[in-house]
Amino acid sequence: MYTFSRVGNTETLSSKIQSEIEESILQKKFVPGDKLPTEKEMCEMFGVSRTALREALQMLSIQGLISIRKGSGIYVSEYNLTNVVKPMSQYLQMNLDDALILKVQELRKMFEPQIAWLAAANRDEIDVKKLEDNLSDFMKNDNQNADQQSEFDQNFHLTICEAAKNPIIVLQMAPILRLIPSIRTIVYKKVDAAKSEAIESYEQLLKAIRDQDGGGASEAMIRHLHGTEEYELICLNKISSKT
Amino acid sequence: MYTFSRVGNTETLSSKIQSEIEESILQKKFVPGDKLPTEKEMCEMFGVSRTALREALQMLSIQGLISIRKGSGIYVSEYNLTNVVKPMSQYLQMNLDDALILKVQELRKMFEPQIAWLAAANRDEIDVKKLEDNLSDFMKNDNQNADQQSEFDQNFHLTICEAAKNPIIVLQMAPILRLIPSIRTIVYKKVDAAKSEAIESYEQLLKAIRDQDGGGASEAMIRHLHGTEEYELICLNKISSKT
DNA sequence: GACAAATAATTTGTCATACAAATCTAAAAT
DNA sequence: ATTTTAGATTTGTATGACAAATTATTTGTC
């Protein structure tokens, strides 16, 4: 027997309001900086109570589409990149296990050499300066402090992404690179880090990017990532059959 | 003169509650499927009104962390991948202009050949079947219908990403590939699509993936992306000086 | 005792009202 | 013209009420 599908009544009022305002913003009926009508006005427009409207507004606010200023009003936000990166970042962090670590490594081996190449081509003086500073900080740093090491690691790679001058690459790689501290905690916990080797490959990488030597940068990145991978494999006991 | 920085009072009650619950979920104090305490209980626990609490809950709900069922209760959600992809997708869509289109193309040229390679190595029978179906649908299809063409385009590339068997790649590329229809609308509006050429390179790509020929797949992808790029460049008038 | 139906209790969704706190506006004072 | 001050506006939170959906309990029947 044919049954009619239920008419959308599970959707709450507030979520309907949320969708409507979201669409208005996406269709650029309001642009960043614009002030939306006051809560009272919008309540009248939508014909709902303040409760329902406010719940919708809070949703939009955590989405990063609007910012609500007490006593002032409701404004369309400049879309903050945090809101783009955070959900992906959160997802990866929540699902991080041995299998995902290997997938991260696979992805980095595929993409980062190309990114390094592009960085070598497009880097400006500021990028080079940042990389140099990062590296010298790292070398001065105490060997023992694993947290600082992985933070440096993360920053160095992120700076290379920025140097490539393709904003999408930064957005894509930021959530991946943010995993580095967690991965190191899981992986290198017992191994006392191959810092000297790391420094060597970082120096080669920096040199190639400074010299705008794309091939060199790519190769240095490949070497570096292969170096770190060895440790990961050992620690994750994935080559037990191979030794 | 030294001034003290303002103590965090701009943060609203509801957003503080949101953070706290979010953290609980991220730290796996509650796992997907778990039922949270009722609103009334949580109000007492946090010592706040239902108003404030509900606003926090709505935020968590649009984040995809919880789902609220009327009459039943509040449950921790299985983290839906839509919530990961959507913000990035939205961001790119909102900021899509000529410059970003070129960045998208740059990124695809860098990454997709490698993805195709990996797909050739890891594809299973289902992937091959999907690609074949996609392609045959495309060939049967009416030349005029640009929307269907770009939808096919998007699906074909997404299926290749899936065939690579690295879930992060899908998450990264989905927002990019979703732009294809918009890009085509902008770019190919007047050009009546190089469908025959496209079909040719798609067939090569499919063959290489079917044969698990990584190098072939990579090369076919490079040819394909270079093919489409020519049109883009012409349409975006970026090679005026070069001709 | 087992099962079905009816009833009651619980829980979320929405509304209305009230007041506090921050901000903005405009009048008043200098 | 500038600053100060007082008032109006706007968002933040609390409370109480009732509707609507679900769940739990009781009741009735066999």
Side-chain angles (χ1 to χ4, degrees), chain B residues 2-19:
Chain B
Y2 187 80
T3 57
F4 292 101
S5 73
R6 172 180 291 200
V7 181
N9 58 352
T10 58
E11 211 177 357
T12 65
L13 251 183
S14 41
S15 85
K16 275 192 270 187
I17 297 169
Q18 182 274 336
S19 303

Side-chain angles (χ1 to χ4, degrees), chain B residues 46-63:
Chain B
F46 287 112
V48 299
S49 71
R50 245 187 106 199
T51 312
L53 180 79
R54 275 186 61 84
E55 288 181 358
L57 293 178
Q58 298 304 323
M59 292 192 245
L60 291 160
S61 132
I62 198 124
Q63 283 185 288

Side-chain angles (χ1 to χ4, degrees), chain B residues 154-224:
Chain B
Q154 184 181 342
N155 286 336
F156 196 82
H157 285 271
L158 199 57
T159 308
I160 291 175
C161 290
E162 284 165 7
K165 299 285 179 288
N166 184 323
I168 311 177
I169 290 177
V170 179
L171 293 177
Q172 282 201 336
M173 293 304 296
I176 307 283
L177 298 176
R178 277 204 204 173
L179 294 174
I180 289 177
S182 306
I183 292 180
R184 286 178 80 117
T185 322
I186 296 174
V187 169
Y188 297 101
K189 202 171 253 168
K190 300 143 206 163
V191 181
D192 67 274
K195 188 180 166 183
S196 58
E197 293 172 56
I199 287 186
E200 200 178 325
S201 59
Y202 281 130
E203 279 175 336
Q204 292 167 352
L205 197 42
L206 172 55
K207 182 178 185 311
I209 289 176
R210 191 195 290 119
D211 298 347
Q212 302 193 280
D213 168 15
S218 171
E219 279 169 32
M221 183 65 88
I222 291 172
R223 271 198 303 279
H224 169 59

Side-chain angles (χ1 to χ4, degrees), chain A residues 134-174:
Chain A
N134 278 359
L135 191 53
S136 74
D137 280 357
F138 183 46
M139 292 194 292
K140 268 184 255 164
N141 186 20
D142 179 10
N143 261 18
Q144 304 301 65
N145 193 335
D147 286 349
Q148 279 192 335
Q149 274 183 39
S150 51
E151 198 184 334
F152 156 78
D153 201 345
Q154 184 181 344
N155 286 336
F156 195 82
H157 285 270
L158 199 57
T159 308
I160 291 175
C161 290
E162 283 165 8
K165 299 287 178 290
N166 183 323
I168 310 177
I169 290 177
V170 179
L171 293 177
Q172 282 200 336
M173 293 304 296

Side-chain angles (χ1 to χ4, degrees), chain A residues 185-231:
Chain A
T185 320
I186 296 173
V187 170
Y188 296 103
K189 202 171 254 169
K190 300 142 205 164
V191 181
D192 70 273
K195 188 180 166 183
S196 58
E197 294 171 54
I199 286 185
E200 199 178 324
S201 59
Y202 281 130
E203 278 174 337
Q204 292 167 352
L205 197 42
L206 171 55
K207 180 177 186 313
I209 290 176
R210 191 195 289 120
D211 298 347
Q212 302 194 280
D213 168 15
S218 172
E219 279 169 32
M221 182 66 88
I222 290 172
R223 270 197 304 276
H224 169 59
L225 291 175
H226 272 90
T228 64
E229 188 175 32
E230 274 180 38
Y231 287 95

Side-chain angles (χ1 to χ4, degrees), chain A residues 54-55 106 110 114 166, chain B residues 54-55 106 110 114 166:
Chain A
R54 275 187 61 84
E55 287 181 359
E106 178 179 76
M110 284 171 64
Q114 315 248 46
N166 183 323
Chain B
R54 275 186 61 84
E55 288 181 358
E106 179 179 76
M110 284 171 64
Q114 315 248 45
N166 184 323

